[in-house]
Amino acid sequence: MTRYTKCSGIILGIICYLFTCTALAQNTNQKVSITKENDGQTDSTNKLIEIPFGTRSREEVNFAQSSLRYNQLTKVPISNLSGLLAGRLSGFLFRWTGNQPGGGNVSYQIRGRSSYAQGSTPAFLVDGIERDFEDMDISEIESVTVLKDAAALNWYGLNGGNGAILVTTKRGKIGENLISFDAQGGFQSASNLIKPLNAYDFATLYNRGLTNIGQTPAYSEAALEGYKNHTDPYLYPDNNYLDRFLNKRAATQRYALTFSGGSNKVRYFSSVSYFNQQGLFKETETPNYDSNYGYKRYNFRINLDYDVTKTLTLTLLAGVRSEVRNDVGDGTATVFNNLYNLPPNAFPILNADGSYGGTSLFQNNPLGQLQGTGFSRTTTNILLASIMADQKLDFITKGLSANLFFSYDGYGNYGDGLSENYAVFNQTVTPIQTYRTPAVIAYRTAAFQTNTKNNELWFGFDYNRTIGTDHQIKANIRGQQYVSAAVDRLDYRSRMLVGRADYSFKQRYMLGLIASYSGSENYAPGRRFGFFPAVSAGWLISKEDFLKDASAISYLKLRGSYGRSGNIGPTYDASGNVVRLPYRTLFTRDAGPFLGSTFSTSTTARLVSPAGNPLTTWEKVDRLNLGTDVDFLKGALSFSFDYFDEKRTDILGPANLPGIVGIAIAQVNSGKVSSKGFDASGAFNKRIGEVLISTNANFTYAKNVILERTENVLPNQSTIGRYVNGGNYYLAEGIFQNQAEINASPKQTLSSLVVPGDLKYKDVNNDNLIDANDAVSSDYTDIPKVYYGFGFNIRYKQFDLGAQFQGVEGRTIDLSDIMYAGPNGLNQLSLDSWTPTTAATAKYPRVGISDNGNNTANSTFWLYSGDFLKLRSAEIGYSTSNKLNQRLRFKGARIFVSGNNIFTISKLNALDIDPETPNAGRFSSYPYVKTFAVGINVKF
């Protein structure tokens, strides 16, 4: 049976490991060298920047990018590694969308969302190949680079339209032999949960909701008195499901061991790590199993560089990962749905005889769900492997080399577990009523669920040569082929030819060209390939004679780029289903007559659905980027600024054909969006005596406006000219205070019942009627117009303190659903709803159990600011002194305390709602969590 290890014993394990490692270090005859971390600082002038299948110095780069290295990331044991990037990179917006361990609850945007269609997510590329990044371990990461303009993105052809995040893994270095061990243990703390009503308040509000619509109260005075005084816990139960079945904290822990180093012949990096994060449920352990949600992950990586000869180098980059997710038999979401939405007086959790309580209306007992439905387990095994060969061809011409790169990625899921079922009993009626069918414990079907294999081949030539002293040329040309195969779908295939050339004259004037000829099988034959060129230029002004000896400015570069990128957007039919190969006409079986036959409902006809669109093509993005990089105070203060102007055309949307045509058609390329804005970043690094100060900041403004779109709506509901992802809302004008106000207002048609306490709306078209035609389009969107981050790291002697903040501005969220979250739409916020006695101070409309459509409609009344500033991460640490390191014969140790999602400044704090994930802790969503941990790092 499956059980998850608790966090106890972690400190003992660390101590034991330290003693072992110390003993090993004392038994070696090797000389111990002392190294110091650079605390996140980098030499801004000589900084190397990762580009697709290569590196460039900062001086050589003409395109828009932002990057950071592994030692600039806070070490917090969270399951989604990209959470550590929040607020760190200009132009890059990270957002949590959920909080379940190992759930992939994240989304990304680069420079806003420049398409209203789906498929606008940037690509994550690990070592040049599009791969999952979330579940890697931080010990594997060398650097993260965000690519933002055409000069950088066109290397990826049709996959470069939405921007890219390029992740490189660590490699061994000559002479830098290092063994490193990390151990962290801590907990995740649940917050921002819906506040449940007690039974008395629930019954009182329920009665009010009925009387508001002219119905008889459901609960008598005797029942209300019983709930208030708890006279009979079985007849008048008062349950707080969250307190009983949800822990305040859940354990999390992480361990990682890495080896790296090398010689002139072989360089190596290897890591093995373990991560364990527990779920928040209580009372999940039974004699046979523990059904609590849990996530365990095992990561292993080995990267090898081997110089076979003086001219041939082979490289192996391989990562293996195994993830195990344990879940309640009924499913975590189903259990949370019950905990949040079950009335507190639904039934006693346990009857007097110890049986599960329940009724005909409420048959899901939380304790039964956790202890009587078994558990399911999903094991995901992942292999990410790449091999590369680089052969120098100097015998042909100096600086020429041939390159072959092949990747093979495999993903497989295996499911198993135990199942059982329970019965519930309503013992408040005679005879006793029984619901659900109990089932004894049994094995769930054990089977492989998915199996996906991806392989990608790149081959071509590189040329790197300096001619004389003034001319430097770096060029690359590659051919690429990609195949993704799975047993339950057609293969995905693409091919591409790409070339890149960078020229530098006197290391001051730079010109770059890049172009890709990229194609996909998703488009009709003859229309599958597109050409995506870009040009870039740079001027390193600080090397000019008139600035060479300037004391204030140590580095100054102007740069710019322009080009056209492409993006494969998924195609959907009228029902929202993804259409593969949308140029083909599909036939669907349905009831109906054949031509020349008599109609019968049992006749099976074949209908055209949808009709193919052979003209379907990719989105096109024309990108202009103008930027500058400047350093002051001998590099202590650095600053980068980029202005961008992008226009995306051929966005997919509905065909909007007249109904008389009689068929549905796959989407057509009909939309256009303009994206303009700027992003900036800065850093300051300075040592003042024994204090080392390092700061960072970034800021992005992005305005994404729809220019063209196929629509069939009223003028006041058109999205053209509006921000991407805006919505239609009724304009709220307050709350009706009496029947006279209702009689004097336009007729309300959004609900069959409108009474005092309901919302009042503006008659936009002046027809004396409030209906669907009065909703208006708006620029209210949950996509922020501004996002930023800033942080610092201060080191004094052996002590260090760091923090990173992230904020967004210009974001609006609709809380109408959240205001009515809970059993029968009632929660603590309902206590502030309108009544005749609270009319002057009521915050919300009247309570309504039914006929409440007027108040739940999308309206400006429920729009709230989604702006926030979060302390994303913080860390305080102590590093051992050089003197102690020499005595213990290791390279150093550091003990630290870290945290993630520590606090939030938001206008929604008073409502206890997280502005980033407002559904967290409501409906069926996992609660919002904060993570705190203590850790140690030892290096040998």
Side-chain angles (χ1 to χ4, degrees):
M1 304 303 171
T2 300
R3 293 185 181 275
Y4 277 81
T5 307
K6 303 295 183 183
C7 201
S8 59
I10 183 174
I11 302 301
L12 178 61
I14 295 172
I15 293 172
C16 292
Y17 185 86
L18 285 177
F19 277 114
T20 303
C21 291
T22 302
L24 289 173
Q26 291 173 341
N27 288 332
T28 180
N29 294 322
Q30 294 182 354
K31 183 178 179 180
V32 177
S33 61
I34 308 300
T35 61
K36 294 181 69 176
E37 290 284 352
N38 65 4
D39 301 296
Q41 296 190 96
T42 56
D43 187 320
S44 61
T45 302
N46 298 318
K47 178 180 178 182
L48 290 178
I49 296 170
E50 303 291 342
I51 64 173
F53 294 98
T55 60
R56 293 285 190 272
S57 69
R58 183 191 186 205
E59 293 182 346
E60 297 173 307
V61 170
N62 298 326
F63 52 76
Q65 58 79 33
S66 52
S67 62
L68 54 83
R69 304 195 82 77
Y70 70 95
N71 53 3
Q72 297 172 283
L73 298 175
T74 305
K75 295 177 177 60
V76 183
I78 57 177
S79 59
N80 289 324
L81 187 58
S82 60
L84 302 180
L85 304 179
R88 291 308 311 264
L89 297 159
S90 65
F92 175 71
L93 174 63
F94 167 88
R95 176 188 167 191
W96 289 111
T97 57
N99 300 278
Q100 190 163 318
N105 314 296
V106 292
S107 68
Y108 321 98
Q109 291 171 8
I110 295 179
R111 290 179 166 178
R113 182 174 175 179
S114 58
S115 176
Y116 54 78
Q118 299 190 49
S120 59
T121 302
F124 252 109
L125 301 130
V126 179
D127 291 327
I129 304 298
E130 190 163 358
R131 290 165 166 162
D132 172 49
F133 167 71
E134 306 298 337
D135 296 316
M136 296 178 67
D137 188 79
I138 190 173
S139 64
E140 304 175 56
I141 306 304
E142 175 67 30
S143 67
V144 179
T145 303
V146 176
L147 308 178
K148 297 179 281 190
D149 69 350
L153 294 168
N154 282 14
W155 180 271
Y156 293 106
L158 285 169
N159 294 317
N162 298 319
I165 301 96
L166 185 62
V167 179
T168 58
T169 57
K170 290 181 179 178
R171 311 270 281 273
K173 298 178 178 62
I174 298 175
E176 296 185 13
N177 298 321
L178 180 68
I179 300 174
S180 178
F181 174 73
D182 286 283
Q184 293 171 269
F187 60 87
Q188 288 198 316
S189 174
S191 64
N192 298 95
L193 288 160
I194 189 172
K195 290 182 171 62
L197 295 164
N198 60 44
Y200 174 78
D201 285 340
F202 172 79
T204 301
L205 287 169
Y206 194 89
N207 278 353
R208 184 193 301 174
L210 292 174
T211 56
N212 282 341
I213 58 175
Q215 295 185 16
T216 303
Y219 299 99
S220 65
E221 288 299 324
L224 293 174
E225 191 68 21
Y227 292 131
K228 187 174 184 179
N229 298 318
H230 303 99
T231 56
D232 187 336
Y234 300 107
L235 186 59
Y236 304 115
D238 187 4
N239 299 310
N240 188 324
Y241 307 106
L242 296 183
D243 274 357
R244 173 157 183 181
F245 297 109
L246 210 61
N247 280 307
K248 301 294 184 184
R249 300 174 184 85
T252 181
Q253 53 186 314
R254 170 186 171 266
Y255 306 91
L257 179 65
T258 66
F259 305 85
S260 64
S263 63
N264 292 331
K265 196 77 172 175
V266 180
R267 280 83 61 199
Y268 65 91
F269 172 83
S270 180
S271 70
V272 59
S273 64
Y274 169 74
F275 177 84
N276 188 337
Q277 191 167 310
Q278 299 294 313
L280 290 165
F281 293 130
K282 293 181 185 176
E283 300 190 46
T284 58
E285 295 189 25
T286 73
N288 297 310
Y289 57 83
D290 185 349
S291 67
N292 196 10
Y293 189 92
Y295 174 71
K296 294 194 296 185
R297 187 181 69 218
Y298 307 84
N299 294 63
F300 173 75
R301 172 166 291 279
I302 182 166
N303 290 348
L304 295 174
D305 294 281
Y306 175 47
D307 293 336
V308 181
T309 67
K310 291 183 179 180
T311 61
L312 175 62
T313 299
L314 296 180
T315 298
L316 171 68
L317 307 174
V320 177
R321 183 167 72 245
S322 182
E323 305 170 17
V324 182
R325 291 171 173 83
N326 199 83
D327 202 357
V328 181
D330 266 6
T332 293
T334 302
V335 175
F336 274 120
N337 180 72
N338 210 26
L339 298 183
Y340 298 144
N341 299 301
L342 193 63
N345 62 344
F347 47 70
I349 295 172
L350 289 176
N351 295 312
D353 61 1
S355 60
Y356 293 123
T359 66
S360 60
L361 185 60
F362 302 109
Q363 298 183 17
N364 290 327
N365 184 296
L367 186 59
Q369 287 181 305
L370 295 173
Q371 295 187 356
T373 61
F375 76 95
S376 65
R377 176 173 53 200
T378 302
T379 302
T380 303
N381 295 318
I382 299 168
L383 168 66
L384 307 174
S386 302
I387 187 168
M388 179 172 63
D390 187 87
Q391 174 66 60
K392 294 181 180 179
L393 301 175
D394 289 334
F395 64 90
I396 298 177
T397 184
K398 187 177 179 180
L400 181 66
S401 61
N403 188 285
L404 178 68
F405 185 99
F406 178 76
S407 70
Y408 178 88
D409 298 348
Y411 302 82
N413 288 339
Y414 181 81
D416 65 343
L418 297 173
S419 65
E420 64 174 319
N421 207 346
Y422 62 96
V424 296
F425 302 88
N426 184 356
Q427 297 185 353
T428 63
V429 296
T430 303
I432 295 173
Q433 299 294 314
T434 304
Y435 306 99
R436 299 177 64 105
T437 302
V440 298
I441 193 168
Y443 286 103
R444 291 180 182 268
T445 301
F448 289 99
Q449 299 170 344
T450 61
N451 190 355
T452 303
K453 298 177 182 179
N454 302 334
N455 65 75
E456 193 162 349
L457 174 67
W458 293 77
F459 59 94
F461 298 91
D462 299 330
Y463 183 70
N464 185 352
R465 187 170 181 179
T466 299
I467 303 174
T469 58
D470 294 339
H471 306 277
Q472 185 180 47
I473 300 173
K474 290 187 176 181
N476 318 88
I477 186 169
R478 294 283 195 281
Q480 179 254 20
Q481 178 169 292
Y482 168 79
V483 179
S484 176
V487 296
D488 58 347
R489 61 167 169 78
L490 296 173
D491 293 353
Y492 287 91
R493 298 174 180 270
S494 65
R495 289 180 179 175
M496 180 170 60
L497 181 66
V498 57
R500 175 176 59 204
D502 295 301
Y503 168 74
S504 172
F505 177 65
K506 293 186 176 181
Q507 296 183 331
R508 302 180 200 172
Y509 315 107
M510 295 94 175
L511 179 66
L513 299 172
I514 187 171
S516 57
Y517 185 65
S518 179
S520 168
E521 92 293 342
N522 209 45
Y523 305 111
R527 302 179 59 87
R528 288 178 170 169
F529 285 85
F531 182 62
F532 306 101
V535 60
S536 64
W539 179 22
L540 192 54
I541 305 176
S542 54
K543 285 196 174 183
E544 297 288 357
D545 292 339
F546 59 84
L547 272 182
K548 188 177 294 184
D549 298 322
S551 57
I553 299 176
S554 55
Y555 182 90
L556 175 61
K557 182 175 182 178
L558 298 180
R559 50 185 170 73
S561 69
Y562 181 79
R564 166 167 285 191
S565 304
N567 177 59
I568 299 178
T571 308
Y572 296 84
D573 62 19
S575 301
N577 302 310
V578 174
V579 178
R580 266 315 294 286
L581 310 179
Y583 62 88
R584 301 183 310 162
T585 295
L586 302 181
F587 294 85
T588 303
R589 286 190 174 187
D590 202 351
F594 290 103
L595 291 177
S597 68
T598 303
F599 174 76
S600 170
T601 57
S602 62
T603 303
T604 300
R606 288 173 173 79
L607 308 178
V608 174
S609 180
N613 177 13
L615 302 181
T616 301
T617 188
W618 47 84
E619 296 176 344
K620 302 171 182 65
V621 191
D622 295 316
R623 289 181 158 123
L624 170 69
N625 192 93
L626 301 174
T628 183
D629 306 307
V630 59
D631 290 356
F632 302 95
L633 306 175
K634 297 181 180 180
L637 176 63
S638 61
F639 178 77
S640 293
F641 177 89
D642 284 273
Y643 166 80
F644 61 90
D645 186 345
E646 302 179 0
K647 185 173 292 184
R648 185 177 297 239
T649 57
D650 283 336
I651 300 173
L652 287 166
N656 198 24
L657 296 175
I660 196 172
V661 175
I663 59 172
I665 191 172
Q667 291 179 310
V668 298
N669 301 96
S670 58
K672 184 183 296 185
V673 169
S674 169
S675 300
K676 296 181 180 180
F678 64 88
D679 54 55
S681 63
F684 178 75
N685 299 282
K686 185 72 174 178
R687 181 180 291 277
I688 305 174
E690 294 188 86
V691 179
L692 180 64
I693 301 174
S694 176
T695 65
N696 69 83
N698 64 82
F699 183 93
T700 301
Y701 168 78
K703 183 179 180 181
N704 308 120
V705 177
I706 299 173
L707 300 181
E708 295 180 11
R709 188 177 188 176
T710 301
E711 294 181 324
N712 185 19
V713 297
L714 296 171
N716 60 295
Q717 295 174 353
S718 173
T719 61
I720 297 175
R722 296 294 190 182
Y723 287 123
V724 171
N725 220 40
N728 287 349
Y729 299 95
Y730 296 98
L731 303 180
E733 296 184 322
I735 298 176
F736 287 120
Q737 298 298 322
N738 50 59
Q739 188 61 43
E741 281 191 37
I742 297 174
N743 295 338
S745 298
K747 182 180 180 182
Q748 315 289 309
T749 66
L750 304 184
S751 174
S752 60
L753 178 69
V754 178
V755 295
D758 283 350
L759 292 180
K760 178 181 179 181
Y761 299 117
K762 181 178 180 179
D763 184 9
V764 173
N765 58 3
N766 297 315
D767 63 354
N768 206 34
L769 194 69
I770 302 299
D771 56 17
N773 296 329
D774 292 299
V776 299
S777 62
S778 72
D779 286 331
Y780 297 122
T781 172
D782 65 347
I783 300 173
K785 302 173 184 65
V786 171
Y787 41 99
Y788 58 92
F790 59 90
F792 66 86
N793 187 283
I794 301 173
R795 185 183 180 96
Y796 174 70
K797 295 184 177 180
Q798 273 71 59
F799 295 93
D800 62 90
L801 172 66
Q804 189 67 38
F805 294 82
Q806 181 197 14
V808 303
E809 296 286 340
R811 178 169 174 263
T812 304
I813 54 179
D814 185 347
L815 298 186
S816 57
D817 290 340
I818 292 173
M819 294 299 181
Y820 290 101
N824 296 99
L826 302 174
N827 55 55
Q828 289 284 348
L829 299 176
S830 306
L831 297 173
D832 292 323
S833 61
W834 186 95
T835 67
T837 57
T838 63
T841 59
K843 297 179 181 179
Y844 310 114
R846 65 168 176 87
V847 171
I849 302 303
S850 61
D851 289 327
N852 205 30
N854 189 80
N855 298 328
T856 58
N858 293 335
S859 75
T860 55
F861 185 89
W862 300 114
L863 297 181
Y864 285 73
S865 170
D867 301 345
F868 63 81
L869 174 63
K870 291 193 174 191
L871 176 55
R872 278 298 189 188
S873 60
E875 192 170 285
I876 183 170
Y878 173 83
S879 301
T880 54
S881 65
N882 289 341
K883 185 177 180 180
L884 180 61
N885 296 342
Q886 290 175 325
R887 188 170 64 187
L888 296 180
R889 302 179 66 82
F890 58 18
K891 293 184 178 181
R894 179 172 178 266
I895 300 173
F896 58 94
V897 177
S898 59
N900 184 258
N901 286 342
I902 299 172
F903 70 77
T904 303
I905 298 174
S906 164
K907 293 181 179 179
L908 297 180
N909 284 357
L911 300 177
D912 205 18
I913 294 172
D914 175 56
E916 186 177 26
T917 55
N919 286 351
R922 291 160 176 82
F923 305 111
S924 58
S925 299
Y926 205 83
Y928 184 76
V929 292
K930 305 175 181 181
T931 305
F932 301 93
V934 59
I936 187 169
N937 171 258
V938 186
K939 295 181 178 179
F940 299 90

